[in-house]
Amino acid sequence: MSVEVHAVRSLSAAAEITVSLVTAEAVKAGIEGATPRQLELAGFEGKADQVHVWPESGRSRALVGLGPESEVDHRSFRRAGAAVARSCSRHARAGVELPADPAAGTRRALAEGVVLGAYGYTDLKSDPTEAKLRRVDVAGSAGARARGEIERGAAVAAGQCLARDLVNEPGGSLTAPALAARAAEIGRSAGLGAKVWTEAEIKRRRLGGLLGVNRGSTNPPRFVELDHRPEGEAKGSLALVGKGVTFDAGGLNIKTAAGMLTMKMDMAGAAAVIGAMSVIGALAPPVRVRAFLPMTDNMLGGDATRPGDVLRIRNGKTIEVVNTDAEGRLILADALSLASEAKPDAIVDLATLTGACMVALGPRIAGLMGNNRDWVDQIRAAAEAAGERVWPLPLPRDYESQFESGVADMKNLGGPHGGAITAGLILQRFVADGTAWAHLDIAGPSYSDADYGEIPKGGTGFGVRTLVELASGFAKPAPAPAPG
Ligand code: BES
Ligand code: MN
Ligand code: ZN
C-alpha cells in the first residue's frame, strides 16, 4: 500500500513522529529539543541521508540531514523525503517540518522522495514485512501553490512506482501479451486512448523488426499505442517510444549467465513510458501525447532469427542481423517508423539499449542523443528539473560506415567501440527526415544493484519524471540540426 502525502498548515498531535529537515549549518547553530552534546554523541552533523531519532514526550522526534547549505537543491529534498519514508516506516503517521522559506520545487521534490522512498516490491513475498507508514503531513503548506506541488510530486512518483513494479515483475510472467494488457488497462484507467495490436495486425502492418526478434519465442509479440488528446487546442504533439523487451536472453547469440540475470529489466523503456502516460492522462497537459510500444522477448526457439538473416522494417529499409543480441534497435526501428508516420512535432525514445552506454557514462546516468539541438536541450532541461541524470553523446555521421552491410541497407551492429553511439545512429535511420527526435539510452539508470537515496535496488522507474516534465512544458522544437 502506498503512502499519502498531505499539505497541512501545522502538524497535528496525531503524527506519531515529527521530522525536521536540517542543513549542516542549522545543526551547528543548535536544534530545539536536542542539545549539541546529544547530537555530537549521536554523530549527527546534518549530512545528506543522516538520520537521528529520539523519544520526546511519548512520541518520536527525528532529524534528517540535507547536507551543507551551499549544496542544497531539489535533489536534496527528494533524497531527504526518501530518508523520511524509511526512518518513519514503523509509524502510521509522520509530520515533516521544512526549513524556513523553501524554494519553489522543494515540496514537490520532498513529496516525490517520500513516495519513492516508501516503495518496495513485495508482490512475490509470502510474508512481506510491510511498512506501517500511511500518511506524511508536510507542515507550512496551507497555500494553494504548496498544496499543488505536493499533489503533483506524489502523483508523478506514483507513476514512477508503477514503472518500477513493471520492471521488477519477472519475464516469465510479464510476457509481451501480459505487458500489453497491463499497459492498456493502466492507460484506460488514466483516461487515455489505448490500442493493442495482435500478432496478425503486426504482420499486416509489416513490423519486420518486431516479428524478427519474436521468432525465437513461444509468446506472441504485441504493439501498444496510448493516446492523450487534450480537450482544448493542443500546443503541439509529442510521440514517446519505449523498448519493451520483456526478457532478453540474447537470442541465438545467447548472453552469459551473468549478462542474462537481470534481463527482465529490458522493458524499462516501455515501463517508463507507461508510467509517464498514466500521469500525463491525469495531469492532462495541453499537448497531444502518443506512445508507441513494441513488445516481445528475445529467445532462442527452433525458428529464432539466425545471424545473417535480413529483416525488412516498417519503413521499407532492410537490416542484416549480425548479432541477435542487438535486438532493441530492430523493434525500435519499427516503432520509430510508425511514430514518424503519425507526424508529431517531436519524438523521444527510451531504451535499455547498450551495455556500451554504461561503459561510457557509468550505471547512473543516461545517454542522450538526437538530431535537433533545441529538442535535445529541452530534454536536458526537463531531466535537470526532474532530478534525473542524462548526458549528451554525439551522433557523428562518419561513424555510419561502421554498419554498412554487403547484403542489406545496414547491419544491426557497428564496430567494437562507441556502441551507444552506433546504436543511436542506427535508430536515426528510422526517423523521418525533418522530424525532431531524441534517444535516451537508459541501460544504466533503469536498474540498480543497491538502494541509493530515493532509488531502490531493482527497477528504478528512471525516465518517468523527465517525460512528465517534458510533456508539461512542451514547446515545438525549432528546426536546428544537432552537432554530430
Ligand atoms: N538489453 C541489452 C543492453 C543492456 C545491457 C541493458 C546491460 C542493460 C544492461 C541489449 O539488447 C544488448 O544486448 N546489447 C548488446 C549489444 C551488442 C550485442 C552489440 C550489448 O550491449 O552488449
Ligand atoms: Mn540484447
Ligand atoms: Zn536488449
Side-chain angles (χ1 to χ4, degrees), residues 243 248 255 263 265-266 323 325-329 352-356 358 413 443:
K243 172 176 172 182
D248 184 8
K255 286 186 181 293
M263 279 301 130
M265 62 77 91
D266 211 16
N323 188 318
D325 197 12
E327 84 297 341
R329 54 204 83 183
T352 48
L353 203 60
T354 67
M358 300 169 72
L413 207 59

Side-chain angles (χ1 to χ4, degrees), residues 178-354:
L179 177 58
R182 294 277 285 283
E185 173 194 314
I186 290 165
R188 285 185 191 117
S189 55
L192 305 169
K195 205 154 60 187
V196 178
W197 303 10
T198 62
E199 184 167 23
E201 287 160 326
I202 289 167
K203 283 186 176 148
R204 208 174 312 130
R205 289 176 158 108
R206 295 197 290 278
L207 306 191
L210 182 55
L211 291 164
V213 173
N214 184 252
R215 267 178 79 160
S217 179
T218 47
N219 301 118
R222 290 289 185 265
F223 193 95
V224 174
E225 277 185 62
L226 302 175
D227 192 357
H228 163 63
R229 275 172 179 279
E231 298 225 320
E233 203 189 322
K235 277 199 207 153
S237 64
L238 175 56
L240 310 181
V241 175
K243 172 176 172 182
V245 171
T246 54
F247 186 76
D248 184 8
L252 290 176
N253 294 104
I254 189 171
K255 286 186 181 293
T256 61
M260 203 185 295
L261 187 59
T262 58
M263 279 301 130
K264 65 175 184 182
M265 62 77 91
D266 211 16
M267 33 58 76
V273 171
I274 294 164
M277 287 301 287
S278 76
V279 183
I280 289 167
L283 296 181
V287 184
R288 176 97 184 263
V289 189
R290 275 170 291 184
F292 298 87
L293 305 169
M295 298 169 183
T296 179
D297 46 9
N298 186 25
M299 303 294 280
L300 302 83
D303 194 33
T305 289
R306 297 115 176 112
D309 282 356
V310 173
L311 306 178
R312 188 179 294 277
I313 303 304
R314 163 84 188 172
N315 73 347
K317 290 186 183 166
T318 55
I319 307 187
E320 180 188 2
V321 180
V322 298
N323 188 318
T324 60
D325 197 12
E327 84 297 341
R329 54 204 83 183
L330 302 171
I331 71 169
L332 290 168
D334 281 322
L336 290 168
S337 302
L338 281 166
S340 294
E341 286 173 37
K343 296 199 185 306
D345 296 313
I347 302 174
V348 57
D349 76 70
L350 280 79
T352 48
L353 203 60
T354 67

